[in-house]
């Protein structure tokens, strides 16, 4: 498979997309917090993967860690572009008021508040810590696979993940305003042991942090 990808085999890339597009999409949403942006990241990730196909090592296992590494870099660029766009909009004169549609979306309030609270907690982390958390806890990569994805030593992955977990737990203790929020933030930190390679989800996170992905609604 790696040899076919390196050679630019269209059928191999079609299979690569079928096998890993959902995983890339979920990872992209965890890094961007926006469904539309996540879709853009998926498209750009596979375009970038095609461009970088010659860099794929001839030997190795699944290409999922490599793809998630490409997606992480793409998400960084998408987030930077979104911030520049938001800054540009903020400089524009205020527009006319729009009607309040709160009643139409009342059923989504609880989920939206949970999403906001968890994303606010994650925003308190440094970008490298957020990326490692997304790869190891939510995407289920092992330390070695996450190191491959980000192009850093395994020891760097361990230290970043440890710092991320400690900061999230401290934030949950110091600033959580409700039991559900506190639980969600703590769950976002994941388990204390090393995540198993190739695991798609950390045990116990379905009703908390991984609700961000909302896979069952897609």
């Amino acid at each position: 498979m790696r040899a076919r990808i390196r050679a630019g085999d269209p059928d191999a890339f079609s299979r690569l997309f079928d096998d890993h597009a959902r995983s890339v999409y979920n990872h992209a949403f965890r890094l961007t917090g926006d469904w539309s942006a996540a879709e853009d990241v998926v498209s750009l990730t596979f375009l970038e993967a095609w461009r970088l196909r010659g860099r794929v090592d001839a030997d190795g296992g699944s290409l999922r860690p490599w793809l998630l590494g490409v997606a992480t870099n793409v998400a960084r660029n998408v987030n930077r572009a979104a911030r520049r766009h938001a800054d540009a909009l903020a400089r524009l004169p205020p527009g006319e008021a729009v009607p309040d549609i709160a009643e139409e979306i009342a059923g989504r309030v609880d989920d939206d508040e949970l999403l906001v609270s968890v994303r606010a907690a994650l925003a308190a982390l440094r970008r490298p810590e957020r990326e490692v958390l997304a790869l190891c806890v939510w995407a289920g990569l092992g330390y070695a696979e996450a190191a491959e994805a980000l192009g850093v030593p395994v020891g760097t992955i361990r230290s970043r993940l440890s710092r991320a977990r400690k900061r999230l737990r401290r934030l949950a203790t110091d600033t959580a305003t409700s039991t559900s929020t506190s639980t969600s933030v703590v769950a976002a930190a994941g388990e204390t042991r090393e995540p198993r390679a190739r695991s798609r989800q950390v045990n116990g996170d379905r009703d908390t942090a991984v609700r961000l992905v909302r896979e069952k609604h897609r």
Side-chain angles (χ1 to χ4, degrees):
M1 182 65 174
R2 286 175 172 261
R4 292 173 63 192
I5 292 296
R6 285 171 57 90
D9 184 339
D11 291 336
F13 262 86
S14 177
R15 178 182 169 187
L16 187 72
F17 181 88
D18 291 341
D19 289 348
H20 300 299
R22 170 59 62 180
S23 181
V24 171
Y25 179 78
N26 291 337
H27 181 62
F29 175 72
R30 291 159 187 155
L31 294 179
T32 64
D34 182 272
W35 295 114
S36 179
E39 291 172 352
D40 291 341
V41 170
V42 172
S43 299
L44 293 171
T45 293
F46 282 93
L47 286 173
E48 188 70 356
W50 174 263
R51 188 179 71 84
L52 299 175
R53 63 189 183 278
R55 299 184 185 180
V56 172
D57 292 335
D59 299 321
S62 170
L63 285 167
R64 183 168 173 258
W66 175 69
L67 273 178
L68 293 183
V70 174
T72 299
N73 290 329
V74 170
R76 291 173 188 167
N77 295 332
V78 169
N79 282 333
R80 280 196 292 266
R83 285 194 296 270
R84 289 195 295 267
H85 179 66
D87 291 342
L89 290 179
R91 292 192 292 269
L92 295 176
E96 297 181 0
V98 297
D100 185 0
I101 59 172
E103 293 184 1
E104 298 180 18
I105 59 173
R108 305 178 187 177
V109 169
D110 289 342
D111 282 347
D112 289 345
E113 289 181 349
L114 178 60
L115 177 61
V116 169
S117 65
V118 174
R119 282 196 56 77
L122 296 180
L125 302 178
R126 298 181 179 88
R127 176 179 53 77
E129 295 168 355
R130 289 197 303 271
E131 292 173 351
V132 168
L133 193 73
L135 288 170
C136 290
V137 176
W138 285 327
L141 297 190
Y143 289 159
E145 291 177 322
E148 176 188 348
L150 296 179
V152 298
V154 171
T156 300
I157 297 295
R158 291 177 181 274
S159 60
R160 288 180 183 177
L161 185 58
S162 176
R163 287 196 302 269
R165 285 167 168 162
K166 289 178 181 178
R167 287 168 66 88
L168 282 179
R169 292 193 185 100
R170 184 167 60 249
L171 183 64
T173 301
D174 295 344
T175 64
T177 58
S178 69
T179 302
S180 60
T181 299
S182 178
T183 301
S184 300
V185 173
V186 171
E191 300 178 2
T192 56
R193 61 177 175 79
E194 175 181 355
R196 293 177 296 177
R198 299 181 184 86
S199 172
R200 295 298 182 91
Q201 181 173 313
V202 175
N203 292 336
D205 66 358
R206 180 177 297 278
D207 296 323
T208 50
V210 170
R211 288 182 59 192
L212 298 180
V213 183
R214 298 182 180 176
E215 291 178 338
K216 62 182 179 181
H217 298 305
R218 299 296 295 177

